[in-house]
């Protein structure tokens, strides 16, 4: 299809969202928010590398999108170091990085969290995004543009009563600090760095809450907007941030939570 012809039909402000010709790396793309985002990035023209541990799922998604599956345990520094070279080799230099992989490794109260679990949480949720940002940096600098989005959580902004998660909250709050610092250091290369902080969305991490009627009632009671957040509600602000539509936005943490933290 002639892309020029398609472009004629798209109003100029929406063309800012076009990612044709750009290579994007999405971690945590084997499920949930990351998988939804990978599909959306491909739909607006990006070549997408999907990164996570479950290679079977990634292979199916990469086939669907015409992208690249990169199996990697981001807790393993040696494996992490191979991600960007693989993307460079197969798709070309990455201009978009979305750090969506994340996990909560225990449900202990703060006073009981083990040192090992704290370290694991920080390694996956905070150190891996920094290391991957370092790895894409030279390619973005050479391209003269780039956009990095870190996926944090409202737990990085406020305490959530009833869900103990001290190290998770620390890791997610840390992403906002990392975001401001990288944004300032790398602005002169036109590399933008932002964080999206989701509220509650149904995924493998939160299934238990959504499966339980009391959990759903608690979510409804605490979320000002009446409708349940869907993947598309998370995806849209990320598309804004990674595309030219967001080209004057950097160093920010954008909260997408149906108003949870506005109360
Ligand atoms: N859903 C929510 O309500 C919510 C709220 C706030 C923040 N978040 C954040 O949003 C992001 C996406 O979460 P989600 O809700 O979509 O949950 P999810 O469906 O459980 O997705 C987590 C993703 O991270 C990947 N991952 C986990 N450990 C990994 C590792 N060691 N190495 C590589 N990849 C790893 C998982 O893939 P593999 O298992 O295949 O490795 C999976 O693709 C996370 O950072 C989460 O903290 C979610």
């Amino acid at each position: 299809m002639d892309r020029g012809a398609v472009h004629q039909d798209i109003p100029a402000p929406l063309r800012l969202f076009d990612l044709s010709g750009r290579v994007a790396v999405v971690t945590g793309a084997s499920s949930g928010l990351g998988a939804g985002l990978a599909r959306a990035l491909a739909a607006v023209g990006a070549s997408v590398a999907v990164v996570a541990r479950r290679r079977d799922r990634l292979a199916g998604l990469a086939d669907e999108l015409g992208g690249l599956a990169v199996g990697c345990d981001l807790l393993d520094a040696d494996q992490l170091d191979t991600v960007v070279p693989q993307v460079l080799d197969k798709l070309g230099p990455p201009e978009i990085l979305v750090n969506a992989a994340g996990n909560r490794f225990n449900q202990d109260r703060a006073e009981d969290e083990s040192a090992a679990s704290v370290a694991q949480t920080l390694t996956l949720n905070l150190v891996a995004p920094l290391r991957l940002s370092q790895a894409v940096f030279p390619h973005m600098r050479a391209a003269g543009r780039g956009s990095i989005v870190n996926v944090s959580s409202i737990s990085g902004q406020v305490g959530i009563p009833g869900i103990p998660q001290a190290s998770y909250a620390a890791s997610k709050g840390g992403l906002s600090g990392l975001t401001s610092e990288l944004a300032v250091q790398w602005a002169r290369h036109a590399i933008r760095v932002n964080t999206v902080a989701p509220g509650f969305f149904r995924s493998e991490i939160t299934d238990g809450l959504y499966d339980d009627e009391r959990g759903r009632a608690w979510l409804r009671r605490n979320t000002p907007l009446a409708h349940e957040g869907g993947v598309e509600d998370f995806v849209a602000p990320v598309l804004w941030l990674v595309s030219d539509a967001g080209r004057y936005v950097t160093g920010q943490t954008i909260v997408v939570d149906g108003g949870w933290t506005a109360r």
Side-chain angles (χ1 to χ4, degrees), residues 28-34 52-54 72-75 100-102 124 151-153 168 172 198-201 203-206:
S30 61
S31 63
L33 301 177
R53 291 166 303 178
R54 285 171 289 180
C72 173
D73 183 349
L74 292 169
L75 284 169
L124 179 63
V151 181
S152 72
S153 165
Y168 180 83
K172 295 301 193 179
F200 287 90
F201 290 83
S203 73
E204 291 178 12
I205 297 187
T206 53

Side-chain angles (χ1 to χ4, degrees), residues 147-159:
S147 176
I148 298 171
V149 171
N150 296 309
V151 181
S152 72
S153 165
I154 55 169
S155 316
Q157 317 273 307
V158 295

Side-chain angles (χ1 to χ4, degrees), residues 143-251:
R145 67 179 181 192
S147 176
I148 298 171
V149 171
N150 296 309
V151 181
S152 72
S153 165
I154 55 169
S155 316
Q157 317 273 307
V158 295
I160 311 278
I163 305 183
Q165 47 187 345
S167 60
Y168 180 83
S171 69
K172 295 301 193 179
L175 285 173
S176 292
L178 174 64
T179 290
S180 318
E181 178 60 23
L182 295 185
V184 169
Q185 285 197 34
W186 294 350
R188 67 201 170 103
H189 303 296
I191 300 170
R192 297 181 296 103
V193 188
N194 291 287
T195 284
V196 170
F200 287 90
F201 290 83
R202 184 166 200 148
S203 73
E204 291 178 12
I205 297 187
T206 53
D207 257 349
L209 194 57
Y210 284 84
D211 285 343
D212 171 29
E213 188 37 52
R214 279 183 319 164
R216 295 175 81 94
W218 179 75
L219 288 170
R220 278 196 300 273
R221 227 174 23 250
N222 287 294
T223 309
L225 286 178
H227 79 276
E228 197 172 277
V231 174
E232 62 282 8
D233 296 310
F234 161 78
V235 159
V238 182
L239 289 181
W240 165 55
L241 289 170
V242 298
S243 66
D244 291 348
R247 68 189 169 197
Y248 205 52
V249 181
T250 196

Side-chain angles (χ1 to χ4, degrees), residues 13-236:
L14 291 184
R15 281 181 222 154
L16 291 170
F17 289 89
D18 184 7
L19 297 179
S20 299
R22 298 195 206 177
V23 172
V25 181
V26 181
T27 72
S30 61
S31 63
L33 301 177
L37 179 67
R39 288 193 171 94
L41 290 169
V44 290
S47 300
V48 186
V50 288
V51 184
R53 291 166 303 178
R54 285 171 289 180
R55 290 164 194 265
D56 49 337
R57 286 186 174 218
L58 294 179
L61 183 58
D63 274 356
E64 177 190 324
L65 306 182
L68 174 71
V70 182
C72 173
D73 183 349
L74 292 169
L75 284 169
D76 180 326
D78 293 334
Q79 287 188 39
L80 184 149
D81 286 342
T82 70
V83 170
V84 171
Q86 287 183 67
V87 175
L88 189 62
D89 184 41
K90 299 274 172 25
L91 297 181
E95 292 183 32
I96 294 166
L97 167 66
V98 180
N99 288 304
N103 208 350
R104 187 170 153 236
F105 290 96
N106 68 71
Q107 305 194 353
D108 299 332
R109 300 192 60 77
E111 58 271 32
D112 297 324
E113 277 198 68
S114 71
S117 187
V118 171
Q120 199 175 30
T121 308
L122 292 172
T123 302
L124 179 63
N125 295 357
L126 182 57
V127 177
L130 169 56
R131 298 293 293 157
L132 286 170
S133 299
Q134 291 176 307
V136 294
F137 170 73
H139 308 295
M140 293 181 173
R141 180 179 54 188
R145 67 179 181 192
S147 176
I148 298 171
V149 171
N150 296 309
V151 181
S152 72
S153 165
I154 55 169
S155 316
Q157 317 273 307
V158 295
I160 311 278
I163 305 183
Q165 47 187 345
S167 60
Y168 180 83
S171 69
K172 295 301 193 179
L175 285 173
S176 292
L178 174 64
T179 290
S180 318
E181 178 60 23
L182 295 185
V184 169
Q185 285 197 34
W186 294 350
R188 67 201 170 103
H189 303 296
I191 300 170
R192 297 181 296 103
V193 188
N194 291 287
T195 284
V196 170
F200 287 90
F201 290 83
R202 184 166 200 148
S203 73
E204 291 178 12
I205 297 187
T206 53
D207 257 349
L209 194 57
Y210 284 84
D211 285 343
D212 171 29
E213 188 37 52
R214 279 183 319 164
R216 295 175 81 94
W218 179 75
L219 288 170
R220 278 196 300 273
R221 227 174 23 250
N222 287 294
T223 309
L225 286 178
H227 79 276
E228 197 172 277
V231 174
E232 62 282 8
D233 296 310
F234 161 78
V235 159

